[in-house]
Amino acid sequence: MAGISLRAIRKSFRDTSVLQGVSLDIADGEFLTLVGPSGCGKTTILRIIAGLETQDEGDVAIGGVVVDDLPPKARDIAMVFQSYALYPYMTVAENIGLPLEMRRLSAAQRLPLLGRAMPGARALRAGIAADVTAVAEGLGIGHLLARRPAQLSGGQRQRVALARAMVRRPKAFLMDEPLSNLDAKMRVQARTEISELHRSLGTTFVYVTHDQAEAMTMSDRVAVMMGGRLMQVARPQVIYDDPQDLAVATFIGTPEINTLPGRVEQGGRLAVLGEPWPVDVAAPAGSAVTVAIRPEALATGGDTAGSVTLLGTVRHVEMLGAETLVHLRLPAIDKPVIARVEPAVGASFRPGDEARFRVAPARVLVFAADGRRLVAEAETAAPLQPRPAVALHV
Ligand SMILES: Nc1ncnc2c1ncn2[C@@H]1O[C@H](COP(=O)(O)OP(=O)(O)OP(=O)(O)O)[C@@H](O)[C@H]1O
Ligand SMILES: [Mg+2]
């Protein structure tokens, strides 16, 4: 087991800068997820940690030891790829056992026929078979050991790839979108299994996905990456509630966070759509800002004193079973504002109705023109109230 540290990693492919100084400390036993849009450099980071790619600048340390000069094999890290990369002509048992054969048997002992007659080979092979069976049974694929990959479902193949990564008990696991070939239902099940696996092994996991539900539900911490930079690294709920950049706020969360144009008035008072809002912003008067509000922060009824009020026309009502999304058209705004409400509340809305929603000032996030989060304070100290649980879409 080991933590992983990245220090100011830079990487270019020819003229294209892909990683622009990535620094990150992943604790021993942590489940860290790298999430970000396609092409932002996630796979490149994993490949640099594994030693499959060499950085132009910066260091990688595993368990406190700088490994920049070590080949992949000597880093003692397992990587699970999106494609699983199973050998089609080998059985499941042979696929899982391969890393152990490469480590425990000499080149002569690995020979298909003669190797079996070499001294010691029989006992070593029996040991490998026992380890393969134990790992396969742990993952519920013990009955599939004699099959070949083509005779397996996607989920079974994914478990074989995991078993092959686990069998040599590596210091850390790197996983690159291991669930992307599974259908939606299998993914939900597999993500629970991977979380359980992480808990039971207690090994460091670095997991790459562009599925934010996976990132939010599985991780101790999420690192949001964009354009070769880490934008924010924090616990999933902190990324969701306290994004430090507008790009992070809009990338995380479904439906997307609502955004409205705003302006800072004299005295730091926020104005949105020409109306003063009871929020003070630490920015010079005249600054253009973007105001962002999560869909579940829009509430109906209750005490409106001290709250922001949004008045609009209902454009569409989406009943999703567990919740209802009310699409609201505000005057002078093209994009609808979406409110996430309980189905019983949502049932009272009809397209064309006038609707009034209220937002607690503490749930209004304000971002500068360059995307940076601005410190915003509710004008009057609002009493502390527990926030509602975040519903994630799968
Ligand atoms: N060997 C290579 N040669 C040239 N360019 C490369 C190479 N590998 C990656 N790139 C480029 O580097 C950038 C980052 O690639 P990377 O595979 O790390 O992205 P990613 O975040 O994993 O994306 P995805 O979510 O699509 O898998 C991309 O623009 C990609 O085209
Ligand atoms: Mg990738």
Side-chain angles (χ1 to χ4, degrees):
M1 283 203 273
I4 297 171
S5 293
L6 305 177
R7 283 278 153 270
I9 302 281
R10 287 179 175 274
K11 175 75 183 173
S12 298
F13 289 110
R14 288 185 208 93
D15 308 341
T16 319
S17 173
V18 173
L19 299 178
Q20 322 210 22
V22 172
S23 296
L24 180 61
D25 284 311
I26 304 163
D28 185 9
E30 182 171 13
F31 195 127
L32 181 118
T33 300
L34 279 170
V35 67
S38 184
C40 71
K42 304 179 297 291
T43 297
T44 306
I45 289 199
L46 284 199
R47 290 177 54 83
I48 286 173
I49 296 172
L52 300 170
E53 200 80 70
T54 312
Q55 67 272 28
D56 301 331
E57 284 174 45
D59 300 314
V60 178
I62 299 171
V65 178
V66 173
V67 295
D68 296 337
D69 298 325
L70 293 185
K73 213 178 148 195
R75 296 190 184 193
D76 201 9
I77 274 190
M79 189 148 167
V80 181
F81 300 92
Q82 174 180 350
S83 61
Y84 314 144
L86 299 177
Y87 292 102
Y89 54 87
M90 288 186 180
T91 64
V92 166
E94 286 163 347
N95 265 289
I96 299 173
L98 193 65
L100 295 183
E101 295 205 359
M102 300 308 285
R103 265 156 204 262
R104 294 189 194 164
L105 302 182
S106 66
Q109 286 170 330
R110 286 202 298 270
L111 289 174
L113 286 172
L114 284 180
R116 294 183 189 269
M118 299 286 295
R122 184 192 288 264
L124 286 172
R125 283 185 183 277
I128 291 172
D131 287 356
V132 166
T133 305
V135 169
E137 274 169 6
L139 288 172
I141 49 170
H143 60 297
L144 303 174
L145 287 172
R147 293 208 200 161
R148 287 178 205 280
Q151 299 165 307
L152 303 176
S153 72
Q156 290 167 335
R157 271 179 228 167
Q158 183 246 340
R159 272 176 246 192
V160 175
L162 269 182
R164 186 176 55 186
M166 284 168 62
V167 75
R168 61 186 173 78
R169 303 179 182 281
K171 283 190 195 141
F173 288 95
L174 309 179
M175 301 196 176
D176 196 356
E177 312 216 20
L179 309 186
S180 57
N181 288 335
L182 304 185
D183 64 42
K185 206 167 171 188
M186 284 289 306
R187 285 174 81 125
V188 175
Q189 189 190 333
R191 115 185 154 201
T192 308
E193 287 177 5
I194 289 184
S195 294
E196 284 170 356
L197 185 67
H198 171 252
R199 270 195 296 277
S200 69
L201 296 175
T203 310
T204 312
F205 276 45
V206 187
Y207 189 94
V208 164
T209 182
H210 56 243
D211 179 331
Q212 44 152 314
E214 266 174 42
M216 297 291 283
T217 51
M218 296 167 78
S219 327
D220 293 317
R221 281 191 307 162
V222 174
V224 183
M225 197 173 169
M226 288 175 183
R229 285 199 176 84
L230 292 181
M231 306 292 288
Q232 188 169 356
V233 186
R235 283 184 296 108
Q237 198 67 49
V238 172
I239 298 269
Y240 189 85
D241 288 336
D242 275 320
Q244 292 304 306
D245 194 285
L246 183 58
V248 174
T250 47
F251 185 73
I252 300 288
T254 315
E256 198 175 288
I257 196 165
N258 297 297
T259 53
L260 297 169
R263 206 172 172 76
V264 182
E265 306 275 285
Q266 291 299 331
R269 166 73 73 92
L270 179 66
V272 180
L273 305 175
E275 297 281 324
W277 279 20
V279 174
D280 283 337
V281 184
S287 309
V289 294
T290 299
V291 168
I293 302 167
R294 293 281 177 210
E296 61 277 10
L298 275 81
T300 55
D303 183 10
T304 53
S307 288
V308 169
T309 308
L310 289 174
L311 193 62
T313 312
V314 175
R315 187 176 143 190
H316 180 53
V317 181
E318 259 184 290
M319 283 170 281
L320 298 172
E323 63 189 28
T324 295
L325 303 179
V326 181
H327 297 233
L328 204 62
R329 197 196 304 271
L330 299 191
I333 300 285
D334 291 341
K335 215 171 45 158
V337 165
I338 297 179
R340 171 185 277 141
V341 297
E342 292 283 326
V345 174
S348 63
F349 291 100
R350 298 272 175 283
D353 284 357
E354 282 252 297
R356 182 186 297 271
F357 283 88
R358 150 182 83 74
V359 182
R363 307 215 48 196
V364 176
L365 309 179
V366 185
F367 298 89
D370 65 1
R372 237 173 350 105
R373 173 87 176 274
L374 290 169
V375 178
E377 276 174 10
E379 267 196 339
T380 44
L384 277 181
Q385 281 181 351
R387 285 182 176 175
V390 172
L392 275 171
H393 281 263
V394 175

